[in-house]
Amino acid sequence: MKIKPFLLCLLFIAFLAGCESGSPGGGTGPEIDADKTYRWKMVTTWPANFPVFQEAPEMFAENVRIMSNGRLDIKVFAGGELVPALQVFDAVSQGAVEMGHGAAYYWAGKVPAAQFFSTVPFGMGKKGMEAWIYHGGGLELWNELYEPFGAIALPMGNTGVQMGGWFNKKIDSIDDLKGLRMRIPGLGGKVLDRAGGNPILMSGGELYTALERGTIDATEWVGPLHDLRLGLNRAAAYYYYPGWHEPGTELELLINKDRWESLPADLQMIVKQAAAATSEWSYSAMEYHNSQALEALSAKKNVQVLPFPREVMEELRDITAETLAVEAEKDHDFKRVYDAYRAFRENYQQWRRLSSQALENY
Ligand code: CA
């Protein structure tokens, strides 16, 4: 039998990830029965055919099916196909489906501290996030938060650094944000609000029309790949970077805890390793496709790609610190996770400064 190079790559990543501790569950399931087939459902928060983000869970399910010789057969449903996109957490928690794929900040209304496991404005990017999650106690904290909901989480993807968004006017100073109607969700939205702007919640499908008609003055979405697909370059002229509000959004695989514990140990391990492999695939896909799409965008005459002025970035950074302190006052778990996140980050920054950051200056 010929083993495909991709499967070899998966097995290697599986070996690497298998060396780590800290993953939830493992070894608690029933005895292995080679004839028993588990038919599961996974719902996602992404639209059908959404590049990379929806491809990732579909590839994950296919890899699990191949590696388990069909014993774990996961059918994937895009947002709205089985349950509305933002009900993924509830569907997994209540056991209506076994799995979900999304990002933890979508459940901020239910679990405010979950936002630390997606992204934090001016926070850690992919490398720091995953060092914290896999090795620094992050995964344990994440799963403690979901314990009362009967769900467990594993990292499964990262967007990389997002773009700052599309604006219909230039941003020269922090005052230009005052009164600005911008689609920007989560903690980033709270920071904009504190800076005098007007954050607006809106789904991806509505963005182009809202920006083009002037219902909003600005919007962030993801990065060049996804922004170009929505045609945002035809709705606003100024494309700002970097995405201070989303420095590397971690995506999550949700699993119903009871159903997870019903899986034998070999299938649990296949799920964990396939999730780790999918993480790497999706992050590298984002880096590749964003760089290709940026080139296409930069060639368009009506688009100006601009950096936020340094003074604006520094003000937003300071307002972010105030915003996080205010949120920590409101919620005990938010404070607890923020303290752990901050302690890890301070330590990690020292290493980052004299490793990757030092080299980036050249
Ligand atoms: Ca975004």
Side-chain angles (χ1 to χ4, degrees):
M1 183 190 148
K2 195 175 157 219
I3 299 177
K4 291 179 182 168
F6 178 71
L7 274 179
L8 272 178
C9 169
L10 269 185
L11 287 170
F12 177 67
I13 293 169
F15 168 76
L16 288 180
C19 298
E20 310 305 336
S21 61
S23 299
T28 54
E31 293 213 355
I32 294 166
D33 176 352
D35 295 326
K36 186 167 165 59
T37 299
Y38 295 79
R39 293 191 198 284
W40 281 19
K41 293 189 184 79
M42 184 199 288
V43 290
T44 82
T45 56
W46 322 116
N49 305 318
F50 197 51
V52 186
F53 296 6
Q54 180 64 17
E55 289 174 85
E58 285 167 3
M59 196 188 77
F60 162 83
E62 176 67 1
N63 291 341
V64 167
R65 195 181 61 74
I66 293 169
M67 288 193 279
S68 68
N69 197 24
R71 287 167 54 227
L72 180 52
D73 196 335
I74 304 163
K75 189 164 166 48
V76 181
F77 298 85
E81 286 181 352
L82 202 58
V83 301
L86 296 183
Q87 282 174 29
V88 163
F89 187 85
D90 289 343
V92 174
S93 164
Q94 291 157 10
V97 296
E98 289 83 5
M99 283 179 159
H101 188 245
Y105 55 16
Y106 290 139
W107 335 125
K110 211 174 278 286
V111 192
Q115 293 174 98
F116 286 100
F117 301 101
S118 51
T119 194
V120 177
F122 292 95
M124 292 188 284
K126 183 209 191 261
K127 288 186 230 169
M129 277 295 287
E130 292 183 359
W132 179 51
I133 289 171
Y134 284 121
H135 303 276
L139 190 57
E140 287 78 3
L141 273 176
W142 195 354
N143 281 289
E144 264 177 59
L145 292 178
Y146 289 175
E147 173 87 49
F149 299 92
I152 59 175
L154 285 169
M156 195 161 95
N158 190 291
T159 66
V161 182
Q162 298 200 8
M163 285 293 281
W166 296 87
F167 295 74
N168 63 12
K169 63 168 189 179
K170 274 197 172 180
I171 303 300
D172 295 321
S173 81
I174 196 85
D175 288 340
D176 291 325
L177 297 179
K178 295 208 180 355
L180 188 89
R181 293 164 303 167
M182 179 174 182
R183 182 269 183 189
I184 175 169
L187 288 167
K190 288 198 154 77
V191 173
L192 179 70
D193 185 50
R194 222 177 157 74
N198 184 6
I200 289 162
L201 274 183
M202 198 175 269
S203 72
E206 301 170 272
L207 295 185
Y208 173 80
T209 308
L211 189 59
E212 201 259 338
R213 291 188 183 163
T215 314
I216 54 175
D217 308 308
T219 184
E220 70 82 52
W221 181 228
V222 188
L225 167 67
H226 294 90
D227 294 8
L228 196 57
R229 290 277 174 116
L230 282 193
L232 295 176
N233 55 298
R234 288 183 279 111
Y238 304 105
Y239 195 24
Y240 274 93
Y241 66 91
W244 57 272
H245 61 298
E246 296 199 62
T249 304
E250 198 70 20
L251 307 181
E252 75 177 359
L253 173 66
L254 284 167
I255 312 169
N256 177 276
K257 194 159 187 282
D258 288 343
R259 303 305 289 272
W260 172 253
E261 285 165 1
S262 78
L263 282 186
D266 65 331
L267 294 184
Q268 286 187 345
M269 187 55 78
I270 286 171
V271 166
K272 285 192 219 173
Q273 307 311 338
T278 304
S279 274
E280 284 312 304
W281 176 84
S282 58
Y283 172 70
S284 53
M286 288 297 287
E287 292 293 282
Y288 172 73
H289 290 296
N290 274 335
S291 58
Q292 299 285 311
L294 177 64
E295 194 181 6
L297 265 174
S298 303
K300 294 190 187 298
K301 288 192 178 61
N302 60 338
V303 175
Q304 284 192 49
V305 184
L306 299 168
F308 285 117
R310 185 163 188 96
E311 168 215 309
V312 171
M313 289 293 285
E314 286 174 353
E315 297 240 26
L316 286 170
R317 181 198 58 198
D318 295 348
I319 296 170
T320 294
E322 290 166 22
T323 305
L324 291 171
V326 168
E327 296 302 307
E329 283 293 309
K330 291 189 212 161
D331 185 87
H332 172 73
D333 279 336
F334 191 99
K335 183 180 184 316
R336 197 164 63 94
V337 179
Y338 183 31
D339 287 346
Y341 177 95
R342 197 162 36 173
F344 175 84
R345 187 180 182 217
E346 274 166 22
N347 181 258
Y348 174 67
Q349 285 285 72
Q350 295 176 35
W351 165 238
R352 189 172 156 261
R353 245 177 241 126
L354 59 89
S355 57
S356 55
Q357 214 172 28
L359 268 169
E360 275 166 20
N361 293 332
Y362 296 94

